[in-house]
Amino acid sequence: MNNHPLKNIIKLQKQNIPVGIYSACTANPYVLEACMQKAKETNSILLIEATANQVDQYGGYTGMKPKDFVQFVYDLAKEVGLKKEYIILGGDHLGPLTFTSYDEDKAMLEAEELIRQYVLAGFSKIHIDTSMKVNSDDKNARLSDEIIAKRGARLAKVAEEAFKEYKKLNPNAIHPVYIVGSEVPIPGGSQDIVDTGVQVTKVEDFRKTVEAFKQAFENENLNDAWQEVIGVVVQPGVEEKDSGCTEYDREKAKELMASISEYPNLVFEGHSTDYQTKIKLRELVEDGVGILKVGPGLTFAMREALFALSFIEKELYKNTNVKQSNFMEVLDEAMLENPKYFSKHYHGSENEIALKRKYSFSDRSRYYMPLEKVINAKNILLENLKDGVPLNLLSQFMPIQYTKVRENILKNNPHDLILDRIKNTIDEYLYASHQEKLNK
């Protein structure tokens, strides 16, 4: 394979064939397993991305460095029976995101090492994001397109050099493709107390971004690398909220979407597409968004399944001596013990914040799932239901899975029930993207 599979999106999009791909931005084992099973079932390419705060040279919040994440994904794929050739690994928001407390020199050196480790680990889709201010930037002035692009080109140069090194050990490796721009809230979701609404990227701003990056690449003698830039992040007018989302309105975005036709080698990358309906997702792909990023929407589905099983456990073992997991309570305790992952994101009264900890669409609870106490509670829950869920309770709390169990297309065990709930969400992205066409 000499050509990067994601370049096929551009080829098809420019022929007015609405094909894209969803990007699973997560390190959650349940979610990744569900995605892999779906890729295997549909014979389609799977794009998995790690973000700069999840995985970095220091381990990120997952404790994994880039090479560790690659091994983690491939080990899981082996268990599922999905060939590595069907997986594309990407790095999201790679730049000084987690190093903004440093002045430019140190922040950019750290960002360079971050990019270098991602490329050397085998990630082949690199989102270069230098849109955030570092400590030495003027707090009162907008970061110019030229500075953002200059820093981005600097990181692209490091990526190119790292790939040459990687290619020596992996002669069949495909050249990484690059995504530039960042017209979205910071990774993890908005921290604004007041919802100011989502603004569609202005066409002139999109054009300026492309021109600034192209010029910056030329200044660094990266003309060949510019040919590997396949996408630009824009805001098409979508974003999840605590209890809903801003739906895509193609009328509001029509001028922006029409402008992509001016660039024969580019598509749009859409972030925060979580919780859009499958119809809206398909409209995004039809209008030029080739890559649909989703993260909280997938872990939210997993959390829903775990909560459903927890409610089932409470009903099943009420007034018995069976030790219950108290999964929901343990998870909430873990969040309250260390509020740093949700405190800046959840606002309101004590009761409102308590509700958001459990049910917010931004799903900050995902940060607490890897904790030992939460894992232990989950294991008790799964053990208590290992012999299957009574059909009457399954119908009450997981009606879609109930029907599949009755039709003998889904096994009645906690693990498979959780994965199938996640697949409900994946199916909506597959409906929208037609990504099975990418490897044909």
Side-chain angles (χ1 to χ4, degrees):
M1 185 188 296
N2 296 319
N3 207 27
H4 200 290
L6 294 184
K7 288 189 174 181
N8 290 334
I9 294 176
I10 298 172
K11 179 181 176 183
L12 292 166
Q13 285 267 354
K14 301 310 177 182
Q15 295 173 8
N16 293 318
I17 301 172
V19 173
I21 194 169
Y22 81 90
S23 172
C25 302
T26 182
N28 184 276
Y30 280 123
V31 171
L32 291 177
E33 185 176 356
C35 292
M36 289 173 183
Q37 286 187 4
K38 266 295 173 183
K40 187 179 177 183
E41 292 168 14
T42 57
N43 192 37
S44 60
I45 295 291
L46 173 61
L47 173 57
I48 298 169
E49 297 202 50
T51 61
N53 48 9
Q54 281 177 331
V55 175
D56 68 9
Q57 61 265 45
Y58 301 106
Y61 71 73
T62 64
M64 287 186 281
K65 297 179 181 180
K67 64 179 182 179
D68 301 323
F69 184 79
V70 172
Q71 191 62 52
F72 163 65
V73 168
Y74 286 162
D75 286 347
L76 191 55
K78 188 175 182 180
E79 290 179 22
V80 172
L82 180 67
K83 295 180 180 178
K84 291 195 295 186
E85 291 75 20
Y86 281 80
I87 298 174
I88 300 170
L89 291 172
D92 197 25
H93 293 286
L94 302 188
L97 173 69
T98 55
F99 309 114
T100 55
S101 60
Y102 300 133
D103 288 348
E104 181 179 15
D105 287 347
K106 182 167 175 56
M108 287 302 294
L109 285 174
E110 293 282 9
E112 286 181 357
E113 180 60 20
L114 176 70
I115 288 267
R116 193 181 76 85
Q117 288 200 20
Y118 265 81
V119 174
L120 288 177
F123 288 78
S124 70
K125 176 187 177 291
I126 305 296
H127 173 210
I128 297 174
D129 185 4
T130 47
S131 63
M132 62 291 298
K133 290 182 181 180
V134 296
N135 188 57
S136 53
D137 290 324
D138 186 341
K139 304 291 188 297
N140 300 312
R142 176 185 176 275
L143 207 56
S144 71
D145 292 333
E146 288 71 27
I147 290 175
I148 292 171
K150 183 179 180 180
R151 291 174 181 174
R154 175 176 167 181
L155 297 183
K157 190 168 188 176
V158 172
E160 289 290 290
E161 292 167 354
F163 179 69
K164 289 177 184 176
E165 189 178 338
Y166 181 73
K167 183 86 169 173
K168 291 177 183 177
L169 299 174
N170 302 273
N172 295 322
I174 53 174
H175 196 287
V177 292
Y178 301 114
I179 307 293
V180 297
S182 183
E183 279 277 345
V184 291
I186 63 171
S190 172
Q191 297 180 6
D192 295 334
I193 295 176
V194 178
D195 182 5
T196 56
V198 178
Q199 301 299 317
V200 175
T201 301
K202 295 179 181 177
V203 173
E204 55 266 36
D205 291 340
F206 162 57
R207 290 179 180 142
K208 286 178 182 177
T209 294
V210 175
E211 185 55 39
F213 269 93
K214 184 180 180 185
Q215 186 61 54
F217 272 58
E218 288 178 3
N219 293 344
E220 291 284 354
N221 296 315
L222 293 171
N223 294 311
D224 289 342
W226 180 250
Q227 302 307 311
E228 305 298 336
V229 176
I230 66 164
V232 180
V233 177
V234 293
Q235 176 50 277
V238 300
E239 185 182 5
E240 81 268 3
K241 301 178 182 180
D242 285 319
S243 61
C245 73
T246 303
E247 284 199 340
Y248 177 58
D249 184 338
R250 66 190 336 174
E251 181 63 26
K252 291 181 179 179
K254 66 180 182 181
E255 291 184 11
L256 172 66
M257 294 308 183
S259 68
I260 197 64
S261 63
E262 302 168 17
Y263 302 92
N265 297 317
L266 296 175
V267 293
F268 289 131
E269 174 166 287
H271 290 222
S272 300
T273 69
D274 311 71
Y275 311 108
Q276 299 292 312
T277 67
K278 66 180 182 181
I279 304 301
K280 294 298 184 182
L281 291 171
R282 178 171 277 191
E283 287 180 0
L284 282 163
V285 174
E286 290 172 348
D287 293 351
V289 178
I291 302 168
L292 302 166
K293 305 298 280 291
V294 55
L298 294 170
T299 53
F300 183 89
M302 179 209 66
R303 196 270 319 146
E304 277 189 324
L306 286 168
F307 275 25
L309 293 174
S310 188
F311 280 119
I312 288 168
E313 178 194 41
K314 290 178 184 296
E315 292 292 339
L316 192 58
Y317 295 113
K318 189 183 296 183
N319 302 321
T320 72
N321 293 325
V322 174
K323 179 184 177 182
Q324 293 192 37
S325 67
N326 296 311
F327 177 79
M328 292 185 287
E329 292 81 2
V330 171
L331 177 61
D332 200 47
E333 286 172 9
M335 295 182 74
L336 289 170
E337 286 169 4
N338 184 9
K340 73 173 184 177
Y341 292 119
F342 72 84
S343 59
K344 293 181 181 179
H345 298 264
Y346 295 162
H347 310 287
S349 67
E350 186 176 337
N351 185 63
E352 288 171 333
I353 294 173
L355 192 69
K356 290 174 183 180
R357 287 199 303 272
K358 281 186 173 181
Y359 301 115
S360 171
F361 273 165
S362 66
D363 189 38
R364 304 301 296 179
S365 71
R366 70 188 185 273
Y367 292 87
Y368 300 85
M369 292 294 178
L371 296 180
E372 185 178 1
K373 66 185 296 182
V374 179
I375 291 173
N376 290 340
K378 181 201 70 178
N379 289 340
I380 293 171
L381 174 63
L382 301 189
E383 177 65 23
N384 283 343
L385 299 175
K386 70 178 187 301
D387 295 327
V389 176
L391 291 177
N392 52 350
L393 292 175
L394 188 60
S395 177
Q396 175 67 43
F397 293 101
M398 302 184 79
I400 296 174
Q401 284 64 47
Y402 162 81
T403 299
K404 291 182 179 181
V405 168
R406 290 297 305 274
E407 293 175 351
N408 293 317
I409 57 177
L410 176 64
K411 293 180 180 178
N412 187 354
N413 66 65
H415 182 265
D416 285 25
L417 293 171
I418 294 167
L419 294 189
D420 194 73
R421 174 62 194 92
I422 299 166
K423 289 177 183 179
N424 295 157
T425 299
I426 297 170
D427 283 338
E428 303 206 330
Y429 280 87
L430 293 177
Y431 170 87
S433 65
H434 303 293
Q435 63 197 63
E436 73 279 355
K437 296 181 180 180
L438 290 179
N439 57 338
K440 293 182 180 179

